[in-house]
Amino acid sequence: MWQSLRISHLILRLSLALVFLWFGVDKFFHPVYWLNAWTPNFLINFVMALHISANSLVYSIGVVELLVGISLVSNMFVDLFALVAAVFLIVISLFYGFNEILVRDVGLIGGLLALVFWPGSRSSTGWR
């Protein structure tokens, strides 16, 4: 049974990592698409008021997604980054309401929370 849990954990981590690495890298190749299609105008206006470029916002989100993906691949700080990613997806869902993106994000949030609450996932020092 423990071998099955270990393999399940590996498959879950790597499949979620693939999603986050894909989206993180894509933000560096297509920042204009992410700005025009997915970034709310109020958020763009907010960062522009702080004298931060809109592209920098997209790149910053891409960096966070890459860190989540790297964490999941390396099996380091998985609880922390899975929780950060779940909160990030919940916030995105609040802005876009009920649609096909929410359906996808519910599955991703479920997988991320499964990693956060995975049996024995925390070491004696807190984070794995």
Side-chain angles (χ1 to χ4, degrees):
M1 176 168 134
W2 294 112
Q3 185 66 20
S4 173
L5 276 175
R6 221 178 335 204
I7 292 170
S8 298
H9 191 262
L10 178 67
I11 291 169
L12 182 57
R13 278 190 305 105
L14 294 181
S15 60
L16 287 169
L18 178 65
V19 172
F20 281 93
L21 291 171
W22 181 282
F23 282 118
V25 167
D26 194 56
K27 286 187 176 52
F28 287 92
F29 285 106
H30 305 106
V32 174
Y33 166 76
W34 287 98
L35 275 174
N36 294 332
W38 298 107
T39 309
N41 286 331
F42 80 87
L43 189 56
I44 294 171
N45 294 334
F46 177 74
V47 297
M48 297 291 278
L50 297 174
H51 304 291
I52 300 170
S53 74
N55 279 352
S56 294
L57 171 67
V58 173
Y59 296 147
S60 299
I61 294 169
V63 167
V64 171
E65 290 174 341
L66 288 172
L67 287 173
V68 169
I70 291 167
S71 166
L72 295 174
V73 167
S74 67
N75 200 26
M76 294 175 60
F77 304 107
V78 171
D79 297 343
L80 172 65
F81 282 101
L83 188 60
V84 166
V87 169
F88 176 70
L89 290 174
I90 290 168
V91 169
I92 289 172
S93 299
L94 294 175
F95 287 114
Y96 288 103
F98 188 80
N99 58 24
E100 65 278 358
I101 303 303
L102 175 65
V103 172
R104 177 206 64 194
D105 287 352
V106 166
L108 292 173
I109 291 166
L112 292 163
L113 291 177
L115 288 175
V116 170
F117 295 109
W118 198 268
S121 65
R122 287 188 178 82
S123 68
S124 59
T125 60
W127 298 105
R128 291 189 264 175

